[in-house]
Amino acid sequence: MSDIITLAHGSGGKLTHDLIRDIFIKHFSNDILTRAEDSAVLDVEAGRLAFTTDSFVITPVFFKGGDIGKLAVCGTVNDLAASGARPLYLGCGFIIEEAFPIRQLEEIAASMAETAAGCGVKIVAGDTKVVQRGAADKIFINTSGIGIIPEGINISASNAKPGDSVIITGTIGDHGCSILLEREMLGIKADIKSDCAALSGLTGSVLPLYPRLHVMRDPTRGGVAAALNEIASQSGVCIRLYENALPVREDVMGVCGLLGMEPLYMANEGKMLIIAPADISRGILDRLKKHEHGKDSAIIGEVLEAPSKRVLMTTLAGGDRIIEMPSGDQLPRIC
Amino acid sequence: MSDIITLAHGSGGKLTHDLIRDIFIKHFSNDILTRAEDSAVLDVEAGRLAFTTDSFVITPVFFKGGDIGKLAVCGTVNDLAASGARPLYLGCGFIIEEAFPIRQLEEIAASMAETAAGCGVKIVAGDTKVVQRGAADKIFINTSGIGIIPEGINISASNAKPGDSVIITGTIGDHGCSILLEREMLGIKADIKSDCAALSGLTGSVLPLYPRLHVMRDPTRGGVAAALNEIASQSGVCIRLYENALPVREDVMGVCGLLGMEPLYMANEGKMLIIAPADISRGILDRLKKHEHGKDSAIIGEVLEAPSKRVLMTTLAGGDRIIEMPSGDQLPRIC
């Protein structure tokens, strides 16, 4: 086997099959994938399925706290988890630039396999394309996922109600800040790493106890600001944040201060926003804090009736500020 | 709205939402997609689901007989159809190069919508990423798909049995040959267009009558040669082709002859290989020929016991030739 990916690895012929066997089947191995059919065949019970897709184009491919493979599994698992689903199956599509090192591809596959196994998810379908040098930047990964939504769960970005509390499951801005530092050669020394994590274990520890919670959304691109604006808009409510309650790591705050950026607008890859009736929000918070991915959970705001479709923030100074949907180009290729 | 895709369209903020609303929701509109949740929620009956994923990196993006959007829908629909499934839902992930014309993106979306509607499939989940100029070549699309496999259907590349007949649903090599001509500026004038088509209608017209058929596979990258080698290998059988029975358009044969290429190794995007017991193969053939996508169907070979895992061809001259799994790099970015 050569050291680098060649166009022949994407031809559908012998080298494609060798690559699938030696990298993907080797790491992802399960009874469904190894059948090598045109589609994976899944036995399902009657009920509600969650289905989602996400592409990952992050640069750099390897970063502090993860790599594109771990991110691709976490991202889709978290979208399923945000719908209240138990994630079960993933499909992954690789677009690889000619000359990408096979050793790095194997590292990425191993990382995907480990992350998937960690949340009980099987990678059951895959596809590999190779493009000429310069036609893509190293590697892009799409993951699509299927999960099962337990009965009685009704989570939607349209469900926020006045009186609800807004919870975040930990510190904000870690992923965006860490990628910014890795990429921009700013000469800033800070030990910030991506929060990249699969959250289905965390949400699964809360949902059976609090099936009545209203909204979950993972605040990735566009950060907490974008996710809350989406929810405010879809639910027709106002969301008020308390700046003094936002959990932000000191070093993240420091870097953001230096660069004139705001953690509220920075991507997270291991955090969930949860909106729930106030009477159960304290119980949810206690439960979240018991989980390794929820230790820094906090109630960061509340849902009001008006001004509808708006996100406001009560600042440290005690004033009110509108938190807009981000509108310019944020840091590209953050996920 | 600007004329070209900018990095801000991929930021997760306002322009991302505008793009989704003005292009994707506009064309793909259905009750599930427009909910804009992190996952699509699908009601399913108990049974067997088919699930598959495929990325499309074809160049050029628009070609005779289709475009990357139509191809992306057909490719995944055909993988589901090849498993005997009725395709129901698609997710699509777009990776777009900065400065890609929005008008072309809309053309592609319209083409996807039309193709999906034509086979009763809903596009229920999506994702859009934008990468800087030079980090991708124009546009890549991933489609993942879910279908339902009716009871009593058991189709697998492992099911070919000695005595079976091998059917192809039409002329071979059209897609590969047409892309080759578009790309390579060979100065050859030929009116060859891609066969790009969704085949779920065709397979759905046969399966209820002949649920006992053994194998279906769509011979895309690597062509009929790669697909039959996979089947011979997975089923542990020999497949013998009759060269005089292969349906090849005269102009495709001519171009291939000029370039020293073989239609057997060229990609198809609207053809299905079907392997079935000899006693029902004539009935299947008659049925296929009644469908617009099966008019040129032909029985092109048979399944033998030995030499196992081999594909042979009885040539026009009457000799025997081994049809190998393709091993070099074929034409890259054919799909």
Side-chain angles (χ1 to χ4, degrees), chain A residues 37 49 55 128 156 221, chain B residues 37 42 55 128-129 156 221:
Chain A
E37 305 289 352
L49 287 187
S55 298
T128 308
S156 162
R221 273 185 299 181
Chain B
E37 303 289 352
L42 315 173
S55 298
T128 307
K129 294 291 186 315
S156 162
R221 272 184 300 181

Side-chain angles (χ1 to χ4, degrees), chain B residues 162-199:
Chain B
D164 284 356
S165 298
V166 179
I167 299 170
I168 182 85
T169 62
T171 55
I172 66 178
D174 300 13
H175 178 75
C177 192
S178 99
I179 300 302
L180 182 70
L181 285 179
E182 299 232 16
R183 278 241 294 275
E184 305 295 329
M185 315 275 178
L186 298 163
I188 300 173
K189 287 223 191 301
D191 188 30
I192 299 170
K193 65 175 194 177
S194 168
D195 58 348
C196 184
L199 299 177

Side-chain angles (χ1 to χ4, degrees), chain B:
Chain B
M1 197 152 159
S2 79
D3 295 341
I4 57 170
I5 293 290
T6 63
L7 289 174
H9 284 112
S11 68
K14 186 174 175 316
L15 283 182
T16 306
H17 286 83
D18 291 352
L19 186 73
I20 291 171
R21 184 194 59 217
D22 296 342
I23 304 280
F24 299 126
I25 300 274
K26 174 178 159 193
H27 287 282
F28 302 162
S29 184
N30 60 64
D31 51 330
I32 303 170
L33 183 68
T34 47
R35 276 186 223 142
E37 303 289 352
D38 276 329
S39 309
V41 178
L42 315 173
D43 288 311
V44 294
E45 304 286 310
R48 286 177 304 157
L49 287 187
F51 174 45
T52 189
T53 185
D54 217 338
S55 298
F56 297 85
V57 297
I58 192 166
T59 181
V61 166
F62 297 91
F63 49 85
K64 270 190 206 159
D67 57 63
I68 192 171
K70 180 179 179 188
L71 185 68
V73 171
C74 291
T76 289
V77 162
N78 292 350
D79 278 346
L80 294 172
S83 300
R86 189 162 57 87
L88 291 178
Y89 303 111
L90 291 185
C92 38
F94 295 85
I95 297 173
I96 311 175
E97 186 186 15
E98 183 186 8
F100 188 73
I102 290 184
R103 184 181 295 183
Q104 287 187 21
L105 181 64
E106 179 151 19
E107 229 177 293
I108 289 167
S111 162
M112 294 179 79
E114 189 191 332
T115 310
C119 42
V121 166
K122 286 181 181 177
I123 297 173
V124 294
D127 175 61
T128 307
K129 294 291 186 315
V130 179
V131 300
Q132 302 98 321
R133 226 182 263 248
D137 185 14
K138 297 188 185 71
I139 184 168
F140 302 147
I141 302 178
N142 174 282
T143 44
S144 48
I146 294 178
I148 291 202
I149 303 176
E151 241 178 288
I153 301 289
N154 177 24
I155 288 172
S156 162
S158 308
N159 283 355
K161 305 266 186 307
D164 284 356
S165 298
V166 179
I167 299 170
I168 182 85
T169 62
T171 55
I172 66 178
D174 300 13
H175 178 75
C177 192
S178 99
I179 300 302
L180 182 70
L181 285 179
E182 299 232 16
R183 278 241 294 275
E184 305 295 329
M185 315 275 178
L186 298 163
I188 300 173
K189 287 223 191 301
D191 188 30
I192 299 170
K193 65 175 194 177
S194 168
D195 58 348
C196 184
L199 299 177
S200 50
L202 181 67
T203 57
S205 76
V206 167
L207 267 179
L209 299 171
Y210 301 99
R212 292 193 301 124
L213 66 85
H214 289 157
V215 185
M216 293 201 285
R217 178 149 287 192
D218 55 329
T220 57
R221 272 184 300 181
V224 168
L228 289 182
N229 267 285
E230 286 164 5
I231 295 166
S233 172
Q234 287 180 240
S235 296
V237 296
C238 169
I239 293 175
R240 174 185 297 277
L241 294 175
Y242 326 125
E243 188 171 17
N244 64 8
L246 294 178
V248 184
R249 284 170 54 108
E250 219 168 293
D251 43 12
V252 169
M253 190 68 97
V255 170
C256 285
L258 276 174
L259 302 174
M261 304 190 75
E262 284 196 86
L264 267 184
Y265 287 89
M266 301 195 86
N268 310 276
E269 293 292 347
K271 299 293 150 47
M272 194 68 80
L273 285 162
I274 299 176
I275 297 182
D279 62 322
I280 59 171
S281 65
R282 181 58 57 182
I284 292 173
L285 189 71
D286 290 344
R287 190 79 205 168
L288 289 170
K289 287 186 167 196
K290 291 196 178 111
H291 194 281
E292 59 164 332
H293 294 315
K295 285 199 289 281
D296 297 320
S297 295
I299 294 174
I300 59 170
E302 63 190 319
V303 179
L304 307 171
E305 208 152 322
S308 95
K309 306 191 175 191
R310 277 284 182 201
V311 179
L312 304 177
M313 184 164 73
T314 304
T315 64
L316 296 177
D320 253 8
R321 205 187 118 191
I322 294 174
I323 303 297
E324 301 276 5
M325 176 67 92
S327 63
D329 44 335
Q330 311 293 307
L331 187 65
R333 300 182 61 191
I334 194 77
C335 59

Side-chain angles (χ1 to χ4, degrees), chain A residues 42-71:
Chain A
L42 315 173
D43 290 310
V44 294
E45 305 285 311
R48 287 177 303 157
L49 287 187
F51 173 47
T52 189
T53 184
D54 217 338
S55 298
F56 297 85
V57 298
I58 192 166
T59 182
V61 166
F62 296 92
F63 50 85
K64 272 190 205 159
D67 57 64
I68 192 171
K70 180 180 179 188
L71 184 68

